[in-house]
Amino acid sequence: MNEQELRKRLQLLRSEHRDLDVAIAALTEAGDQRGFVDQLQMARLKKRKLALKDRIAAIEDVLLPDIIA
C-alpha cells in the first residue's frame, strides 16, 4: 500500500473506532435503563475496539517511523 492508501485506511479505522465508542456508550445507557448490561455484547465491542486500536497503531508506525536521535 502506498502512503495515500494507508492514510485513507487510517481514517476509516479511526471512524470505526469512534463508532464503537458510541455503540458502547449506547449499550451501557440501555443497560442502565433495563437494570442489566449485556456483558457478552459489551465484551465483543470492546475486543473489536482494541483490535482496531492495534491496527491503527500499526499503520501509524508505518507512516511515522521512530527516529533514533
Side-chain angles (χ1 to χ4, degrees):
M1 282 190 173
N2 63 29
E3 184 177 339
Q4 183 179 8
E5 291 170 340
L6 284 174
R7 290 191 185 281
K8 185 174 182 177
R9 181 74 179 144
L10 183 61
Q11 183 180 10
L12 291 172
L13 291 173
R14 285 181 176 160
S15 176
E16 188 175 347
H17 191 267
R18 282 189 304 270
D19 291 345
L20 284 173
D21 278 334
V22 172
I24 289 169
L27 185 61
T28 302
E29 184 178 325
D32 290 343
Q33 292 175 357
R34 289 186 307 223
F36 71 92
V37 176
D38 184 350
Q39 293 296 323
L40 182 60
Q41 183 66 19
M42 183 69 74
R44 287 177 179 160
L45 290 174
K46 287 183 177 184
K47 185 176 181 180
R48 174 77 177 140
K49 186 177 170 190
L50 185 58
L52 286 172
K53 183 178 177 183
D54 290 344
R55 290 170 57 193
I56 288 169
I59 292 174
E60 287 174 341
D61 286 346
V62 170
L63 292 174
L64 302 169
D66 290 338
I67 299 173
I68 299 173

